[in-house]
Amino acid sequence: MYTHVIFDLDGTLLSTIDDLADAGNHVCQAHGWPTHTVDEFKYMVGNGIPNLVRRFTPDGISEEEFQAALAEYSTYYDAHKQDKTAPYPGIPQLLAALKGAGIHTAVLSNKAHSLTSPVVEHYFPGVFEYVQGALPDVPLKPDPALLHTLMEKIGAAPETTLFVGDSNVDVATGKNGGLTVCGVLWGFREREELKDAGAEWIIHSPDQLAAIVTGTALLTGSQAMFAAGLLGMGRLAAVPTETVYGLAADATLGSAVQAVYEAKGRPESKPLNVLVDGMDMVKTICWDIPEDAYKLAEAFWPGPLTMILRGNGSLPPTVSAGGKTQGVRCPNHPDTLAVIKALGHPLACPSANRSGRPSPKLAGEVLAQLAGRIDAVLDGGPCTVGVESTILDLTVVPYRILRQGGLSQEQIEAVLGLGKVQ
């Protein structure tokens, strides 16, 4: 696991190429020079604005004309640098995940420091420990001079620091500084350039970077079997449901259940509900099940209803916090149902948040809270209900709603009849 991550800015954190290209073409049009496509500009950037201007201006212009073009570019870009610039999708969630995992982050850019610092603070206020742009009379990347200065300021050791960028300049910068380098494919350059430059990692989404840095893997729905395998080994994985993401452990493994409490910071006096794939699995962990439970399962499962029943003692006592009852639910999400079926056991599964914080509805929101604390997140897309399940206690008469969630009392009474629920 890395303790520090240093990011390039343009093409890595921010999609700035449209504003850079617009400024360049503004200068070209003003002088009657040929303009360039955005894709062409992607191969002009990376070594600071003076080098960018030299690349888009025609060969043979005088030094006076170049300096005039540089001044025009800087003035126009300064006025329009936020017209189209925005963080790449997933970057805010990545940064939140790294911060939640205690990872130190910084930015190193070849853009002038007078531009870099305010741009970073505008788009990522208070996120980075240190931001370093280009300074007069100091070599630009890939020279490691500013990188070494930055690392000293944030206390970063080469063996636990990852450099992240989108170009061969970034890869060379990290290599020159003795760092491991991760190249990103959502920026300005292609895989072959990053590979040839020697990047140890090449990724296509910010979620992959969170996994590399924190050790929490991001899985897709097609990897449900892999998630089940992790759970069977006593590991923890966040799984999607129609309500919110849940933090899952094999409910039959006491050590894994204990790890859920620790990952969430949840008091051990609060019992855990379990996810099942149907009433046949419920019968293996509960007894004295009322007929109404079967009616409700028929009507609302899979769905946002948790039923409190009498546990039969087959699960570790940590699941029920030493109590005699057990909450059970069948989630309405194909990926998690596939995990349960593959595992063959119920999942001890509270919401996948740190205790006291909002329940997550997206995989990125899980990473923001639990990256580095759990082994995997199974990304099943956004939760469709977005509120937690209704909890109905069937061990008392009349039945009692303990938490109002995605299912209303009126819907329950339509199945069981009036007067059975309070």
Side-chain angles (χ1 to χ4, degrees), residues 112 136 194 302 380:
L194 300 172

Side-chain angles (χ1 to χ4, degrees), residues 249-268:
D250 185 332
T252 67
L253 301 177
S255 59
V257 174
Q258 181 65 37
V260 169
Y261 285 103
E262 294 171 359
K264 282 177 62 69
R266 180 185 177 96
E268 294 180 26

Side-chain angles (χ1 to χ4, degrees), residues 259-314:
V260 169
Y261 285 103
E262 294 171 359
K264 282 177 62 69
R266 180 185 177 96
E268 294 180 26
S269 59
K270 296 181 66 174
L272 303 177
N273 296 326
V274 302
L275 300 183
V276 298
D277 62 1
M279 287 302 292
D280 285 344
M281 187 172 283
V282 171
K283 288 187 289 186
T284 68
I285 59 174
C286 297
W287 73 287
D288 194 22
I289 303 171
E291 188 61 32
D292 284 338
Y294 292 91
K295 293 179 182 179
L296 291 169
E298 178 69 24
F300 300 119
W301 277 9
L305 174 65
T306 297
M307 296 187 287
I308 304 297
L309 302 170
R310 290 180 173 84
N312 64 13
S314 60

Side-chain angles (χ1 to χ4, degrees), residues 337-410:
L337 287 174
V339 170
I340 298 170
K341 290 181 185 298
L343 182 64
H345 297 155
L347 301 178
C349 198
S351 55
N353 60 309
R354 300 285 294 275
S355 287
R357 296 180 62 181
S359 298
K361 304 172 184 64
L362 297 166
E365 294 174 357
V366 178
L367 286 171
Q369 297 193 47
L370 296 177
R373 290 174 168 260
I374 63 178
D375 296 283
V377 179
L378 184 61
D379 187 355
C383 300
T384 55
V385 174
V387 295
E388 292 172 305
S389 65
T390 295
I391 300 179
L392 180 65
D393 188 349
L394 297 177
T395 68
V396 297
V397 178
Y399 306 141
R400 184 179 304 145
I401 292 179
L402 303 182
R403 181 180 70 194
Q404 185 63 64
L407 197 67
S408 70
Q409 180 172 336
E410 290 74 20

